[in-house]
């Protein structure tokens, strides 16, 4: 084992320089996911080590994507707050009152206005406006969680919203009958689109017109939480 490996496993680092070498050793030997957990532990213990040095940098214009139920909106709101950037939810632009779809030209116009800003966090997967968003974005945050976790979160969210009658966008509410016993069920939509979306996003990101994007792929809610907590605020943006 290397000297840095010995430092990481045989004794506790005594100073900041040793902590930094220990983190670098963990990244090489254990991978970034383990490093996130170690960084979170050290932050909780108050070591004062700049763990955000190893966390992905976030730009000023961020697109948050992932299958429905993955928690895109929750993370995007928190990220926008952390970066002091406007938050845009595509669902709110796409649906009019009584679940009436906004015509595509009007929807794209609204998205173009939102994406024209210097700073923003936009939440949503709409293919009909992806070109407008990703051409202006500098960062894509992809919530790539396992299906059982996503479906469980979506099921719980749908039940809570339906039973409480939560108002979503433009006065719309989720209904139990529509959510569970119709062809428009969001649960059915998640089942149908989960695998396709996981295949689709890497292919899209590999296109020449989108190679300028920095991709942050988060594979669990815990990893997402550690990453978000590692951001220092407005100064975290590149």
């Amino acid at each position: 084992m290397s000297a840095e490996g010995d430092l990481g496993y045989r004794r506790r680092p005594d100073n900041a320089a040793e902590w930094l070498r220990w983190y670098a050793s963990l990244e090489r030997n254990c991978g970034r996911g383990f490093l996130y957990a170690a960084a979170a532990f050290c932050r909780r213990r108050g070591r004062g080590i700049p763990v955000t040095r190893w966390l992905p940098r976030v730009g000023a214009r961020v697109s948050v994507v992932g299958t429905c139920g993955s928690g895109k909106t929750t993370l995007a709101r928190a990220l926008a707050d952390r970066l002091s950037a406007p938050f845009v939810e595509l669902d709110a632009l796409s649906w009019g009152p009584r679940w009436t779809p906004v015509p595509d030209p009007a929807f794209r116009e609204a998205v173009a206005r939102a994406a024209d800003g210097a700073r923003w966090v936009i939440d949503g997967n709409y293919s009909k406006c992806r070109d407008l968003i990703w051409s202006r974005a500098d960062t894509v945050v992809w919530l790539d969680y396992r299906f059982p976790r996503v479906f469980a979160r979506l099921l719980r969210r749908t039940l809570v919203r339906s039973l409480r009658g939560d108002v979503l966008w433009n006065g719309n509410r989720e209904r139990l009958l529509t959510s569970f016993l119709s062809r428009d069920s969001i649960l059915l939509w998640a089942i149908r689109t989960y695998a396709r979306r996981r295949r689709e996003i890497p292919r899209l990101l590999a296109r020449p017109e989108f190679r300028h994007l920095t991709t942050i792929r988060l594979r669990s809610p815990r990893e997402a939480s550690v990453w978000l907590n590692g951001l220092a605020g407005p100064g975290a943006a590149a």
Side-chain angles (χ1 to χ4, degrees):
M1 182 178 291
S2 67
E4 288 186 352
D6 290 342
L7 176 65
Y9 294 100
R10 292 188 179 179
R11 68 180 179 86
R12 193 167 106 182
D14 294 325
N15 54 51
E18 289 187 355
W19 275 106
L20 297 179
R21 293 205 305 274
W22 181 65
Y23 283 151
S25 176
L26 282 176
E27 184 172 19
R28 288 195 302 272
N29 297 328
C30 304
R32 186 175 291 272
F34 185 86
L35 182 62
Y36 285 173
F41 173 78
C42 291
R43 285 178 66 84
R44 289 196 300 271
R45 294 296 296 272
R47 296 297 176 188
I49 306 301
V51 296
T52 55
R53 175 174 174 178
W54 290 273
L55 300 176
R57 295 285 291 175
V58 181
R61 296 178 297 278
V62 186
S63 170
V64 180
V65 300
T67 191
C68 59
S70 57
K72 296 187 302 298
T73 301
T74 300
L75 183 135
R77 285 184 187 277
L79 179 60
D81 182 66
R82 190 65 58 90
L83 300 178
S84 297
F87 166 71
V88 180
E89 187 175 4
L90 293 183
D91 283 338
L93 302 180
S94 177
W95 295 104
R98 298 185 180 181
W99 294 107
T100 304
V102 174
D104 286 354
F107 174 63
R108 282 180 59 86
E109 182 180 352
V111 172
R113 285 197 302 269
D116 192 48
R119 301 173 61 83
W120 42 257
V121 177
I122 295 180
D123 148 43
N125 292 308
Y126 288 78
S127 59
K128 58 187 177 182
C129 65
R130 183 181 294 118
D131 60 316
L132 300 174
I133 298 170
W134 282 16
S135 63
R136 286 277 298 153
D138 48 41
T139 308
V140 169
V141 176
W142 177 16
L143 304 187
D144 183 25
Y145 304 163
R146 296 181 60 189
F147 180 75
R149 183 183 296 275
V150 169
F151 192 78
R153 289 166 63 116
L154 180 62
L155 178 62
R156 180 171 61 250
R157 186 191 78 181
T158 303
L159 278 171
V160 170
R161 283 181 174 179
S162 299
L163 293 174
R164 292 195 315 204
D166 291 349
V167 179
L168 304 179
W169 326 279
N170 300 312
N172 294 311
R173 304 171 189 265
E174 290 188 1
R175 305 293 184 185
L176 283 173
L177 184 63
T178 304
S179 299
F180 289 90
L181 299 175
S182 77
R183 293 181 180 179
D184 296 326
S185 167
I186 193 172
L187 301 172
L188 185 59
W189 174 257
I191 294 171
R192 288 174 173 171
T193 61
Y194 176 82
R196 173 172 59 83
R197 200 171 300 283
R198 289 197 78 196
R199 294 191 301 267
E200 176 186 62
I201 291 177
R203 289 200 298 263
L204 290 168
L205 290 168
R207 289 182 178 178
E209 63 266 34
F210 298 138
R211 287 180 183 170
H212 67 283
L213 293 167
T214 296
T215 304
I216 299 171
R217 186 175 184 178
L218 303 171
R219 299 177 183 271
S220 72
R222 177 175 175 78
E223 188 172 292
S225 177
V226 171
W227 170 77
L228 184 64
N229 291 333
L231 298 178

